[in-house]
Coordinates of all heavy atoms in Angstrom, one line a residue:
M1054 N 78.7 -185.3 -67.7 CA 78.3 -185.3 -69.1 C 79.5 -184.9 -70.0 O 80.0 -183.9 -69.8 CB 77.1 -184.4 -69.3 CG 76.5 -184.4 -70.6 SD 74.9 -183.7 -70.6 CE 75.2 -182.1 -71.2
T1055 N 79.8 -185.7 -71.0 CA 80.9 -185.4 -71.9 C 80.3 -185.4 -73.3 O 79.7 -186.4 -73.7 CB 82.0 -186.5 -71.8 OG1 82.5 -186.5 -70.4 CG2 83.2 -186.2 -72.7
I1056 N 80.6 -184.3 -74.0 CA 80.0 -184.2 -75.3 C 81.1 -184.5 -76.4 O 82.2 -184.0 -76.3 CB 79.4 -182.8 -75.5 CG1 78.3 -182.5 -74.5 CG2 78.9 -182.6 -77.0 CD1 77.1 -183.3 -74.6
L1057 N 80.6 -185.3 -77.4 CA 81.5 -185.6 -78.5 C 80.7 -185.1 -79.8 O 79.6 -185.5 -79.9 CB 81.7 -187.1 -78.6 CG 82.3 -187.6 -79.9 CD1 83.7 -187.1 -80.2 CD2 82.3 -189.2 -79.9
T1058 N 81.4 -184.3 -80.6 CA 80.7 -183.9 -81.8 C 81.4 -184.6 -83.0 O 82.7 -184.5 -83.1 CB 80.8 -182.4 -82.0 OG1 80.0 -181.8 -80.9 CG2 80.2 -181.9 -83.3
I1059 N 80.7 -185.3 -83.8 CA 81.2 -185.9 -85.1 C 80.6 -185.2 -86.3 O 79.4 -185.1 -86.4 CB 80.9 -187.4 -85.1 CG1 81.4 -188.1 -83.8 CG2 81.5 -188.0 -86.4 CD1 81.1 -189.6 -83.7
V1060 N 81.5 -184.7 -87.1 CA 81.1 -184.0 -88.4 C 81.2 -185.0 -89.5 O 82.3 -185.4 -89.9 CB 81.9 -182.7 -88.6 CG1 81.3 -182.0 -89.8 CG2 81.9 -181.8 -87.4
A1061 N 80.0 -185.4 -90.0 CA 80.0 -186.3 -91.2 C 80.6 -185.7 -92.4 O 80.8 -184.5 -92.5 CB 78.6 -186.8 -91.4
F1062 N 80.9 -186.5 -93.4 CA 81.6 -185.9 -94.6 C 80.7 -185.0 -95.3 O 81.2 -184.0 -95.9 CB 82.0 -187.1 -95.5 CG 82.8 -186.6 -96.7 CD1 84.1 -186.0 -96.6 CD2 82.2 -186.6 -98.0 CE1 84.8 -185.5 -97.6 CE2 82.9 -186.0 -99.1 CZ 84.2 -185.5 -98.9
D1063 N 79.4 -185.2 -95.2 CA 78.5 -184.2 -95.9 C 78.3 -182.9 -95.1 O 77.5 -182.1 -95.5 CB 77.2 -184.9 -96.2 CG 76.4 -185.3 -95.0 OD1 76.8 -184.9 -93.8 OD2 75.3 -185.9 -95.1
G1064 N 79.0 -182.8 -94.0 CA 78.8 -181.6 -93.2 C 77.8 -181.7 -92.1 O 77.8 -180.8 -91.2
A1065 N 77.1 -182.8 -92.0 CA 76.1 -182.9 -90.9 C 76.8 -183.1 -89.6 O 77.9 -183.8 -89.5 CB 75.2 -184.2 -91.2
T1066 N 76.3 -182.4 -88.6 CA 77.0 -182.4 -87.3 C 76.1 -183.3 -86.3 O 74.9 -183.1 -86.2 CB 77.0 -181.0 -86.7 OG1 77.8 -180.2 -87.6 CG2 77.7 -181.0 -85.3
I1067 N 76.8 -184.3 -85.6 CA 76.2 -185.1 -84.7 C 76.7 -184.9 -83.4 O 77.9 -185.2 -83.1 CB 76.3 -186.6 -85.2 CG1 75.8 -186.8 -86.6 CG2 75.7 -187.6 -84.3 CD1 76.6 -187.7 -87.5
D1068 N 75.9 -184.5 -82.4 CA 76.4 -184.2 -81.1 C 75.9 -185.4 -80.2 O 74.8 -185.8 -80.2 CB 75.7 -183.0 -80.5 CG 76.3 -181.7 -81.2 OD1 77.5 -181.7 -81.5 OD2 75.4 -180.8 -81.4
L1069 N 76.9 -186.0 -79.5 CA 76.6 -187.2 -78.7 C 77.0 -186.9 -77.2 O 78.1 -186.3 -77.0 CB 77.4 -188.4 -79.2 CG 77.2 -188.8 -80.6 CD1 78.1 -189.8 -81.1 CD2 75.7 -189.2 -80.9
D1070 N 76.2 -187.4 -76.3 CA 76.5 -187.4 -74.9 C 77.1 -188.7 -74.6 O 76.4 -189.8 -74.7 CB 75.2 -187.1 -74.1 CG 75.4 -187.0 -72.6 OD1 76.6 -187.1 -72.2 OD2 74.5 -186.8 -71.9
V1071 N 78.4 -188.8 -74.3 CA 79.1 -190.0 -74.2 C 79.6 -190.4 -72.8 O 79.8 -189.5 -72.0 CB 80.3 -190.1 -75.2 CG1 79.8 -189.8 -76.6 CG2 81.4 -189.1 -74.9
A1072 N 79.9 -191.6 -72.6 CA 80.4 -192.1 -71.3 C 82.0 -191.9 -71.3 O 82.6 -192.3 -72.3 CB 80.0 -193.5 -71.0
D1073 N 82.5 -191.4 -70.2 CA 84.0 -191.4 -70.1 C 84.5 -192.8 -70.2 O 83.9 -193.7 -69.6 CB 84.4 -190.7 -68.8 CG 84.1 -189.2 -68.8 OD1 83.7 -188.7 -69.9 OD2 84.1 -188.6 -67.7
G1074 N 85.6 -193.0 -70.8 CA 86.2 -194.3 -71.0 C 85.8 -195.0 -72.3 O 86.4 -196.0 -72.7
S1075 N 84.7 -194.5 -72.9 CA 84.3 -195.1 -74.2 C 85.1 -194.5 -75.2 O 85.7 -193.4 -75.1 CB 82.8 -194.8 -74.5 OG 82.6 -193.4 -74.5
T1076 N 85.2 -195.2 -76.4 CA 86.0 -194.6 -77.5 C 85.2 -193.9 -78.5 O 84.0 -194.1 -78.5 CB 86.8 -195.7 -78.2 OG1 85.9 -196.5 -78.9 CG2 87.7 -196.6 -77.3
V1077 N 85.8 -193.0 -79.2 CA 85.1 -192.3 -80.2 C 84.4 -193.2 -81.2 O 83.3 -193.1 -81.6 CB 86.1 -191.3 -81.0 CG1 85.4 -190.6 -82.2 CG2 86.6 -190.2 -80.0
M1078 N 85.2 -194.3 -81.6 CA 84.6 -195.3 -82.5 C 83.4 -196.0 -81.9 O 82.3 -196.1 -82.6 CB 85.7 -196.3 -82.9 CG 85.2 -197.4 -83.7 SD 84.3 -198.7 -82.9 CE 85.5 -199.7 -82.2
E1079 N 83.4 -196.4 -80.7 CA 82.3 -197.1 -80.1 C 81.0 -196.1 -80.1 O 79.9 -196.6 -80.5 CB 82.5 -197.4 -78.6 CG 83.5 -198.6 -78.5 CD 84.1 -198.7 -77.1 OE1 83.9 -197.8 -76.3 OE2 84.7 -199.7 -76.8
N1080 N 81.2 -194.9 -79.8 CA 80.1 -193.9 -79.9 C 79.6 -193.7 -81.3 O 78.4 -193.6 -81.5 CB 80.5 -192.7 -79.2 CG 80.7 -192.8 -77.7 OD1 79.7 -193.1 -77.0 ND2 81.9 -192.8 -77.2
A1081 N 80.5 -193.7 -82.2 CA 80.1 -193.5 -83.7 C 79.2 -194.7 -84.1 O 78.2 -194.5 -84.7 CB 81.3 -193.3 -84.5
V1082 N 79.7 -195.9 -83.8 CA 79.0 -197.1 -84.3 C 77.7 -197.2 -83.6 O 76.7 -197.5 -84.2 CB 79.9 -198.3 -84.1 CG1 79.1 -199.6 -84.2 CG2 81.1 -198.3 -85.0
R1083 N 77.7 -197.0 -82.3 CA 76.4 -197.1 -81.5 C 75.3 -196.2 -82.0 O 74.1 -196.4 -82.0 CB 76.7 -196.8 -80.1 CG 75.7 -197.3 -79.1 CD 76.2 -197.1 -77.6 NE 77.4 -197.9 -77.3 CZ 78.4 -197.4 -76.5 NH1 78.4 -196.2 -76.1 NH2 79.5 -198.2 -76.3
N1084 N 75.8 -195.1 -82.6 CA 74.8 -194.0 -83.0 C 74.7 -194.0 -84.6 O 74.2 -193.1 -85.2 CB 75.2 -192.7 -82.5 CG 75.0 -192.6 -81.0 OD1 73.9 -192.4 -80.6 ND2 76.1 -192.8 -80.2
S1085 N 75.2 -195.1 -85.2 CA 75.1 -195.2 -86.7 C 75.6 -194.0 -87.5 O 75.0 -193.6 -88.4 CB 73.6 -195.6 -87.1 OG 73.2 -196.7 -86.4
V1086 N 76.7 -193.5 -87.0 CA 77.3 -192.3 -87.7 C 77.8 -192.9 -89.1 O 78.6 -193.9 -89.1 CB 78.5 -191.7 -86.9 CG1 79.2 -190.7 -87.8 CG2 77.9 -191.1 -85.6
P1087 N 77.5 -192.3 -90.2 CA 77.9 -192.8 -91.5 C 79.4 -192.6 -91.7 O 79.9 -191.5 -91.3 CB 77.1 -192.0 -92.5 CG 76.6 -190.8 -91.8 CD 76.6 -191.1 -90.3
G1088 N 80.1 -193.6 -92.3 CA 81.5 -193.4 -92.7 C 82.5 -193.9 -91.7 O 83.7 -193.9 -91.9
I1089 N 82.0 -194.5 -90.6 CA 82.9 -195.1 -89.6 C 82.6 -196.6 -89.7 O 81.6 -197.1 -89.1 CB 82.7 -194.6 -88.2 CG1 82.9 -193.1 -88.1 CG2 83.7 -195.3 -87.2 CD1 84.3 -192.6 -88.3
D1090 N 83.4 -197.4 -90.3 CA 83.2 -198.8 -90.5 C 83.6 -199.7 -89.4 O 82.9 -200.6 -89.0 CB 83.8 -199.3 -91.8 CG 83.3 -198.6 -93.0 OD1 82.2 -198.0 -92.9 OD2 84.0 -198.5 -94.1
A1091 N 84.8 -199.4 -88.9 CA 85.3 -200.1 -87.7 C 85.2 -201.6 -87.8 O 84.7 -202.4 -86.9 CB 84.6 -199.6 -86.4
E1092 N 85.8 -202.1 -88.9 CA 85.7 -203.6 -89.2 C 86.3 -204.5 -88.2 O 85.8 -205.6 -88.0 CB 86.3 -203.8 -90.6 CG 85.3 -203.4 -91.7 CD 86.1 -203.3 -93.0 OE1 87.2 -203.8 -93.2 OE2 85.4 -202.8 -94.0
C1093 N 87.4 -204.0 -87.5 CA 88.0 -204.9 -86.6 C 87.5 -204.8 -85.1 O 87.9 -205.5 -84.2 CB 89.5 -204.7 -86.5 SG 90.0 -203.3 -85.6
G1094 N 86.5 -204.0 -85.0 CA 85.8 -203.9 -83.6 C 86.7 -203.1 -82.6 O 86.4 -203.3 -81.4
G1095 N 87.6 -202.4 -83.0 CA 88.4 -201.6 -82.1 C 89.8 -202.2 -81.7 O 90.4 -201.7 -80.7
A1096 N 90.3 -203.1 -82.4 CA 91.5 -203.8 -82.1 C 92.8 -203.1 -82.7 O 93.9 -203.6 -82.6 CB 91.5 -205.3 -82.5
C1097 N 92.6 -201.9 -83.3 CA 93.6 -201.2 -84.0 C 94.2 -202.1 -85.1 O 95.4 -202.2 -85.2 CB 94.7 -200.8 -83.0 SG 95.8 -199.5 -83.6
A1098 N 93.4 -202.7 -85.8 CA 93.9 -203.7 -86.9 C 93.2 -203.5 -88.2 O 93.3 -204.4 -89.0 CB 93.7 -205.1 -86.3
C1099 N 92.5 -202.4 -88.4 CA 91.8 -202.3 -89.7 C 91.9 -200.9 -90.4 O 91.8 -200.8 -91.6 CB 90.3 -202.7 -89.6 SG 89.3 -201.5 -88.7
A1100 N 92.0 -199.9 -89.6 CA 92.1 -198.5 -90.1 C 90.8 -198.1 -90.8 O 90.9 -197.1 -91.6 CB 93.3 -198.3 -91.0
T1101 N 89.7 -198.7 -90.5 CA 88.4 -198.2 -91.1 C 87.6 -197.4 -90.1 O 86.4 -197.3 -90.3 CB 87.6 -199.4 -91.6 OG1 87.2 -200.2 -90.6 CG2 88.3 -200.2 -92.7
C1102 N 88.3 -196.9 -89.1 CA 87.6 -196.0 -88.1 C 88.3 -194.7 -88.1 O 88.3 -193.9 -87.2 CB 87.6 -196.6 -86.7 SG 89.3 -196.8 -86.1
H1103 N 89.0 -194.4 -89.2 CA 89.9 -193.2 -89.4 C 89.0 -191.9 -89.3 O 87.9 -191.8 -89.8 CB 90.5 -193.3 -90.8 CG 91.3 -192.1 -91.2 ND1 91.5 -191.7 -92.5 CD2 92.0 -191.2 -90.5 CE1 92.2 -190.7 -92.6 NE2 92.6 -190.3 -91.4
V1104 N 89.5 -191.0 -88.5 CA 88.9 -189.6 -88.4 C 90.0 -188.6 -88.4 O 91.2 -188.9 -88.2 CB 88.1 -189.5 -87.1 CG1 86.9 -190.4 -87.1 CG2 88.9 -189.6 -85.9
Y1105 N 89.6 -187.3 -88.7 CA 90.5 -186.2 -88.5 C 90.0 -185.5 -87.2 O 88.9 -185.1 -87.1 CB 90.4 -185.2 -89.7 CG 90.6 -185.8 -91.0 CD1 89.6 -185.9 -92.0 CD2 91.9 -186.4 -91.3 CE1 89.8 -186.5 -93.2 CE2 92.1 -187.0 -92.5 CZ 91.1 -187.1 -93.5 OH 91.3 -187.6 -94.7
V1106 N 91.0 -185.3 -86.3 CA 90.7 -184.6 -85.1 C 90.6 -183.1 -85.5 O 91.5 -182.6 -86.3 CB 91.8 -184.8 -84.0 CG1 91.5 -183.9 -82.8 CG2 91.8 -186.3 -83.6
D1107 N 89.7 -182.3 -85.0 CA 89.6 -180.9 -85.3 C 90.8 -180.2 -84.9 O 91.4 -180.5 -83.9 CB 88.3 -180.3 -84.6 CG 88.0 -179.0 -85.1 OD1 87.2 -178.9 -86.1 OD2 88.5 -178.0 -84.5
D1108 N 91.3 -179.2 -85.7 CA 92.5 -178.6 -85.5 C 92.6 -178.0 -84.1 O 93.6 -178.1 -83.4 CB 92.7 -177.4 -86.5 CG 93.0 -177.9 -87.8 OD1 93.4 -179.1 -88.0 OD2 92.9 -177.1 -88.8
E1109 N 91.5 -177.6 -83.6 CA 91.5 -176.9 -82.2 C 91.7 -178.0 -81.1 O 92.1 -177.6 -80.0 CB 90.0 -176.4 -81.9 CG 89.7 -175.3 -82.9 CD 90.4 -174.0 -82.6 OE1 90.4 -173.6 -81.4 OE2 90.8 -173.3 -83.6
W1110 N 91.5 -179.2 -81.4 CA 91.7 -180.3 -80.4 C 92.9 -181.2 -80.6 O 93.2 -182.0 -79.8 CB 90.4 -181.2 -80.5 CG 89.2 -180.5 -79.9 CD1 88.3 -179.7 -80.5 CD2 88.9 -180.5 -78.5 NE1 87.4 -179.2 -79.6 CE2 87.7 -179.7 -78.3 CE3 89.4 -181.1 -77.4 CZ2 87.1 -179.5 -77.1 CZ3 88.8 -181.0 -76.1 CH2 87.6 -180.1 -76.0
A1111 N 93.6 -181.0 -81.7 CA 94.7 -181.9 -82.1 C 95.7 -182.0 -81.0 O 96.1 -183.2 -80.6 CB 95.3 -181.5 -83.4
E1112 N 96.1 -180.9 -80.4 CA 97.1 -180.9 -79.4 C 96.7 -181.7 -78.1 O 97.4 -182.5 -77.6 CB 97.5 -179.5 -79.0 CG 98.9 -179.5 -78.3 CD 99.3 -178.1 -78.1 OE1 99.1 -177.2 -79.0 OE2 99.9 -177.8 -77.0
R1113 N 95.4 -181.4 -77.7 CA 94.9 -182.1 -76.5 C 94.7 -183.6 -76.7 O 95.0 -184.4 -75.8 CB 93.6 -181.4 -76.0 CG 93.4 -181.7 -74.6 CD 92.2 -181.0 -73.9 NE 92.1 -179.6 -74.3 CZ 91.1 -178.8 -73.9 NH1 90.2 -179.3 -73.1 NH2 91.0 -177.6 -74.3
V1114 N 94.3 -184.0 -77.9 CA 94.1 -185.4 -78.1 C 95.5 -186.1 -78.2 O 95.7 -187.2 -77.8 CB 93.3 -185.6 -79.4 CG1 93.3 -187.1 -79.8 CG2 91.9 -185.1 -79.2
G1115 N 96.4 -185.4 -78.8 CA 97.8 -186.0 -79.0 C 98.0 -186.8 -80.2 O 97.0 -187.2 -80.9
P1116 N 99.2 -187.2 -80.4 CA 99.5 -188.0 -81.6 C 99.2 -189.5 -81.4 O 99.1 -190.0 -80.2 CB 101.0 -187.8 -81.7 CG 101.5 -187.6 -80.3 CD 100.4 -186.9 -79.6
P1117 N 99.2 -190.3 -82.4 CA 99.0 -191.7 -82.3 C 100.2 -192.4 -81.7 O 101.3 -191.9 -81.9 CB 98.7 -192.2 -83.8 CG 99.3 -191.1 -84.6 CD 99.3 -189.9 -83.8
E1118 N 100.0 -193.6 -81.1 CA 101.1 -194.4 -80.6 C 101.6 -195.2 -81.8 O 101.0 -195.2 -82.9 CB 100.7 -195.3 -79.5 CG 100.3 -194.4 -78.3 CD 100.2 -195.2 -77.0 OE1 100.4 -196.5 -77.0 OE2 100.0 -194.6 -76.0
A1119 N 102.8 -195.8 -81.6 CA 103.4 -196.5 -82.8 C 102.6 -197.4 -83.6 O 102.5 -197.4 -84.8 CB 104.7 -197.2 -82.3
M1120 N 101.8 -198.3 -82.8 CA 101.0 -199.3 -83.5 C 99.9 -198.7 -84.3 O 99.6 -199.1 -85.4 CB 100.4 -200.3 -82.4 CG 99.6 -201.4 -82.9 SD 99.1 -202.5 -81.6 CE 97.6 -203.0 -82.1
E1121 N 99.3 -197.6 -83.8 CA 98.2 -196.9 -84.5 C 98.8 -196.2 -85.7 O 98.2 -196.2 -86.8 CB 97.6 -195.9 -83.5 CG 96.4 -195.1 -84.2 CD 95.9 -194.0 -83.3 OE1 96.1 -194.1 -82.1 OE2 95.2 -193.1 -83.8
E1122 N 100.0 -195.6 -85.5 CA 100.6 -194.9 -86.6 C 100.9 -195.9 -87.8 O 100.7 -195.6 -89.0 CB 101.9 -194.3 -86.1 CG 102.4 -193.2 -87.1 CD 103.5 -192.3 -86.4 OE1 103.9 -192.6 -85.3 OE2 103.9 -191.4 -87.1
D1123 N 101.4 -197.1 -87.5 CA 101.6 -198.1 -88.5 C 100.3 -198.4 -89.3 O 100.2 -198.6 -90.5 CB 102.2 -199.4 -87.9 CG 103.6 -199.2 -87.5 OD1 104.2 -198.2 -87.9 OD2 104.1 -200.1 -86.8
M1124 N 99.2 -198.6 -88.5 CA 97.9 -198.9 -89.0 C 97.4 -197.8 -89.9 O 96.7 -198.0 -90.9 CB 97.0 -199.2 -87.9 CG 95.9 -200.3 -88.2 SD 96.7 -201.8 -88.7 CE 95.7 -202.1 -90.1
L1125 N 97.7 -196.6 -89.5 CA 97.2 -195.4 -90.3 C 97.8 -195.4 -91.7 O 97.2 -194.8 -92.6 CB 97.6 -194.1 -89.6 CG 96.5 -193.6 -88.6 CD1 97.2 -192.5 -87.7 CD2 95.3 -193.1 -89.2
D1126 N 98.9 -196.1 -92.0 CA 99.4 -196.2 -93.3 C 98.4 -196.8 -94.3 O 98.5 -196.6 -95.5 CB 100.6 -197.1 -93.3 CG 101.9 -196.4 -92.7 OD1 101.8 -195.2 -92.5 OD2 102.8 -197.1 -92.4
F1127 N 97.4 -197.6 -93.7 CA 96.4 -198.2 -94.6 C 95.2 -197.3 -94.8 O 94.2 -197.7 -95.5 CB 96.0 -199.6 -94.0 CG 97.2 -200.5 -94.0 CD1 97.9 -200.7 -92.8 CD2 97.6 -201.3 -95.1 CE1 99.0 -201.5 -92.7 CE2 98.6 -202.1 -95.0 CZ 99.3 -202.3 -93.8
A1128 N 95.1 -196.2 -94.1 CA 93.9 -195.3 -94.2 C 94.0 -194.5 -95.5 O 95.1 -194.2 -96.0 CB 93.8 -194.4 -93.0
F1129 N 92.9 -193.9 -95.9 CA 92.8 -193.1 -97.1 C 93.0 -191.6 -96.7 O 92.4 -191.2 -95.7 CB 91.4 -193.3 -97.7 CG 91.0 -192.3 -98.8 CD1 91.6 -192.5 -100.0 CD2 90.1 -191.3 -98.5 CE1 91.2 -191.6 -101.0 CE2 89.8 -190.4 -99.5 CZ 90.4 -190.6 -100.8
D1130 N 93.8 -190.9 -97.5 CA 94.0 -189.5 -97.3 C 94.4 -189.1 -95.9 O 93.7 -188.3 -95.2 CB 92.7 -188.7 -97.7 CG 93.0 -187.2 -97.9 OD1 94.2 -186.8 -97.9 OD2 92.0 -186.5 -97.9
V1131 N 95.5 -189.6 -95.4 CA 96.0 -189.4 -94.1 C 96.6 -188.0 -94.0 O 97.2 -187.5 -94.9 CB 97.1 -190.4 -93.7 CG1 97.7 -190.1 -92.3 CG2 96.4 -191.8 -93.7
R1132 N 96.2 -187.3 -92.9 CA 96.7 -185.9 -92.7 C 97.3 -185.8 -91.3 O 97.2 -186.8 -90.5 CB 95.4 -185.0 -92.7 CG 94.8 -185.0 -94.1 CD 93.5 -184.2 -94.0 NE 92.6 -184.4 -95.2 CZ 91.4 -183.9 -95.4 NH1 90.9 -183.2 -94.5 NH2 90.8 -184.2 -96.5
P1133 N 97.9 -184.7 -91.0 CA 98.6 -184.6 -89.7 C 97.7 -184.8 -88.5 O 98.1 -185.2 -87.4 CB 99.1 -183.1 -89.7 CG 99.3 -182.8 -91.1 CD 98.2 -183.5 -91.9
T1134 N 96.4 -184.5 -88.6 CA 95.5 -184.7 -87.5 C 94.7 -186.1 -87.6 O 93.8 -186.3 -86.8 CB 94.4 -183.6 -87.5 OG1 93.7 -183.6 -88.8 CG2 95.1 -182.2 -87.3
S1135 N 95.2 -186.9 -88.4 CA 94.5 -188.3 -88.6 C 94.7 -189.1 -87.3 O 95.8 -189.1 -86.7 CB 95.1 -189.0 -89.7 OG 94.7 -188.5 -90.9
R1136 N 93.6 -189.7 -86.9 CA 93.7 -190.7 -85.8 C 92.8 -191.8 -86.1 O 91.8 -191.7 -86.9 CB 93.3 -190.1 -84.4 CG 94.3 -189.1 -83.9 CD 95.6 -189.6 -83.3 NE 95.4 -190.8 -82.5 CZ 95.3 -190.7 -81.2 NH1 95.5 -189.6 -80.6 NH2 95.1 -191.9 -80.5
L1137 N 93.0 -193.0 -85.5 CA 92.0 -194.1 -85.5 C 91.1 -193.8 -84.3 O 91.5 -193.8 -83.2 CB 92.7 -195.4 -85.5 CG 93.6 -195.7 -86.7 CD1 94.3 -197.1 -86.5 CD2 92.8 -195.7 -88.0
S1138 N 89.8 -193.7 -84.6 CA 88.9 -193.3 -83.6 C 88.7 -194.4 -82.4 O 88.2 -194.0 -81.4 CB 87.5 -192.9 -84.1 OG 86.9 -194.0 -84.9
C1139 N 89.1 -195.6 -82.7 CA 89.0 -196.6 -81.7 C 90.1 -196.4 -80.6 O 90.1 -197.1 -79.6 CB 89.0 -198.0 -82.2 SG 90.5 -198.5 -83.0
Q1140 N 91.0 -195.6 -80.9 CA 92.2 -195.4 -80.0 C 92.0 -194.0 -79.3 O 93.0 -193.6 -78.5 CB 93.5 -195.4 -80.8 CG 93.7 -196.8 -81.6 CD 93.7 -198.0 -80.6 OE1 94.4 -198.0 -79.7 NE2 92.8 -198.9 -80.9
I1141 N 90.9 -193.4 -79.4 CA 90.7 -192.1 -78.7 C 89.6 -192.4 -77.6 O 88.5 -192.6 -78.0 CB 90.2 -191.0 -79.6 CG1 91.2 -190.8 -80.8 CG2 90.0 -189.7 -78.8 CD1 90.7 -189.7 -81.8
K1142 N 90.1 -192.4 -76.4 CA 89.2 -192.6 -75.2 C 88.6 -191.3 -74.7 O 89.4 -190.3 -74.5 CB 89.9 -193.3 -74.1 CG 89.8 -194.8 -74.2 CD 89.9 -195.4 -72.8 CE 89.6 -196.9 -72.8 NZ 90.7 -197.7 -72.7
M1143 N 87.3 -191.2 -74.6 CA 86.7 -190.0 -74.1 C 86.9 -189.8 -72.6 O 87.0 -190.8 -71.9 CB 85.2 -190.1 -74.4 CG 84.8 -190.0 -75.9 SD 85.6 -188.5 -76.7 CE 84.7 -187.2 -75.9
S1144 N 87.0 -188.6 -72.2 CA 87.2 -188.3 -70.8 C 86.8 -186.8 -70.6 O 86.5 -186.1 -71.5 CB 88.7 -188.4 -70.4 OG 89.4 -187.4 -71.2
A1145 N 86.7 -186.4 -69.3 CA 86.3 -185.0 -69.0 C 87.2 -184.1 -69.8 O 86.8 -183.0 -70.2 CB 86.3 -184.8 -67.5
E1146 N 88.4 -184.4 -69.9 CA 89.4 -183.6 -70.5 C 89.1 -183.3 -72.0 O 89.4 -182.3 -72.6 CB 90.8 -184.2 -70.4 CG 91.9 -183.3 -70.6 CD 93.3 -184.0 -70.5 OE1 93.6 -184.7 -71.4 OE2 93.9 -183.8 -69.4
L1147 N 88.4 -184.3 -72.6 CA 88.1 -184.2 -74.0 C 86.6 -183.8 -74.2 O 86.0 -183.9 -75.3 CB 88.3 -185.5 -74.7 CG 89.8 -185.9 -74.8 CD1 89.9 -187.2 -75.7 CD2 90.7 -184.8 -75.4
D1148 N 86.0 -183.2 -73.2 CA 84.6 -182.7 -73.3 C 84.5 -181.7 -74.4 O 85.2 -180.7 -74.3 CB 84.1 -182.2 -71.9 CG 82.7 -181.7 -72.0 OD1 81.9 -182.2 -72.8 OD2 82.3 -180.8 -71.2
G1149 N 83.7 -181.9 -75.4 CA 83.5 -180.9 -76.4 C 84.3 -181.3 -77.7 O 84.3 -180.6 -78.7
L1150 N 85.0 -182.4 -77.6 CA 85.8 -182.9 -78.8 C 85.1 -182.9 -80.1 O 83.9 -183.3 -80.1 CB 86.4 -184.3 -78.5 CG 87.2 -184.9 -79.6 CD1 88.5 -184.2 -79.9 CD2 87.5 -186.4 -79.3
I1151 N 85.7 -182.4 -81.1 CA 85.2 -182.4 -82.5 C 86.1 -183.3 -83.4 O 87.3 -183.1 -83.4 CB 85.0 -181.0 -83.1 CG1 84.2 -180.2 -82.2 CG2 84.5 -181.1 -84.5 CD1 84.2 -178.7 -82.5
V1152 N 85.5 -184.3 -84.1 CA 86.2 -185.0 -85.1 C 85.5 -185.0 -86.4 O 84.2 -184.9 -86.4 CB 86.5 -186.5 -84.6 CG1 87.3 -186.6 -83.3 CG2 85.2 -187.3 -84.5
H1153 N 86.2 -185.2 -87.5 CA 85.6 -185.1 -88.8 C 85.8 -186.5 -89.5 O 86.9 -187.1 -89.4 CB 86.3 -184.0 -89.6 CG 86.2 -182.7 -89.0 ND1 85.3 -181.7 -89.4 CD2 86.9 -182.1 -88.0 CE1 85.4 -180.6 -88.7 NE2 86.4 -180.8 -87.8
V1154 N 84.7 -186.9 -90.1 CA 84.8 -188.2 -90.9 C 85.4 -188.0 -92.3 O 85.0 -187.0 -92.9 CB 83.4 -188.8 -91.0 CG1 83.3 -190.1 -91.8 CG2 82.8 -189.0 -89.6
P1155 N 86.3 -188.8 -92.7 CA 86.9 -188.6 -94.0 C 85.9 -189.0 -95.1 O 84.9 -189.6 -94.9 CB 88.1 -189.5 -94.0 CG 87.8 -190.5 -93.0 CD 86.9 -189.9 -92.0
E1156 N 86.3 -188.7 -96.3 CA 85.5 -189.0 -97.5 C 85.2 -190.5 -97.6 O 84.0 -190.9 -97.9 CB 86.2 -188.5 -98.8 CG 85.4 -188.7 -100.0 CD 86.1 -188.2 -101.3 OE1 87.2 -187.7 -101.2 OE2 85.5 -188.3 -102.4
R1157 N 86.2 -191.3 -97.3 CA 85.9 -192.7 -97.3 C 87.0 -193.4 -96.4 O 88.0 -192.8 -96.1 CB 85.9 -193.3 -98.7 CG 87.2 -193.2 -99.4 CD 87.1 -193.8 -100.8 NE 88.2 -193.6 -101.7 CZ 89.3 -194.4 -101.7 NH1 89.4 -195.4 -100.9 NH2 90.3 -194.1 -102.5
Q1158 N 86.7 -194.7 -96.1 CA 87.7 -195.5 -95.3 C 88.5 -196.4 -96.3 O 87.9 -196.9 -97.3 CB 86.9 -196.3 -94.3 CG 86.1 -195.5 -93.3 CD 87.0 -194.8 -92.3 OE1 88.2 -195.1 -92.1 NE2 86.4 -193.8 -91.6
G1159 N 89.7 -196.7 -96.0 CA 90.5 -197.7 -96.6 C 90.9 -197.4 -98.1 O 90.4 -196.5 -98.7
Ligands
LIG1505 FE1 89.7 -201.2 -86.5 FE2 89.8 -198.9 -85.2 S1 88.1 -200.2 -85.4 S2 91.4 -199.9 -86.3

């Protein structure tokens, strides 16, 4: 059992029991989490699945790869902990991960 917590922009906390190997974006969309549009369906080509990784988790999740970093240029209010949620794969190592939804996408 791997737990993913998504904090919506209004502060609502959504705890999800997720499958290892699934992405944060897939779980957000499947559970109708507000604020994650994911227009490209996970191809790292839209930047509308932008999230902020919680400070406590930023090191373990790690930085974006080059293609994701380029795409993040199109996201709104990018911060040091910004990631595209379709590029974060859940695993036992990320059990308990917390991500925050930005004010808006794009
Ligand atoms: Fe499009 Fe993540 S869903 S970049």
Side-chain angles (χ1 to χ4, degrees):
M1054 185 160 101
T1055 301
I1056 300 296
L1057 164 65
T1058 297
I1059 303 177
V1060 183
F1062 184 69
D1063 67 2
T1066 298
I1067 301 143
D1068 293 320
L1069 302 172
D1070 183 359
V1071 303
D1073 290 347
S1075 63
T1076 68
V1077 170
M1078 177 280 279
E1079 287 165 347
N1080 289 293
V1082 168
R1083 200 173 295 141
N1084 290 280
S1085 305
V1086 173
I1089 304 289
D1090 299 338
E1092 284 166 10
C1093 78
C1097 196
C1099 73
T1101 63
C1102 65
H1103 176 210
V1104 295
Y1105 304 117
V1106 175
D1107 193 87
D1108 289 342
E1109 301 284 315
W1110 285 90
E1112 199 175 319
R1113 200 172 317 175
V1114 171
E1118 295 197 357
M1120 184 172 147
E1121 181 185 344
E1122 201 167 359
D1123 287 349
M1124 214 57 227
L1125 271 169
D1126 287 345
F1127 298 96
F1129 170 75
D1130 191 16
V1131 175
R1132 301 175 191 172
T1134 58
S1135 288
R1136 291 290 311 266
L1137 295 179
S1138 60
C1139 67
Q1140 302 301 304
I1141 304 174
K1142 265 208 174 109
M1143 294 305 296
S1144 63
E1146 198 179 77
L1147 294 184
D1148 182 26
L1150 175 66
I1151 303 169
V1152 300
H1153 301 262
V1154 177
E1156 182 178 0
R1157 63 180 171 86
Q1158 300 288 345

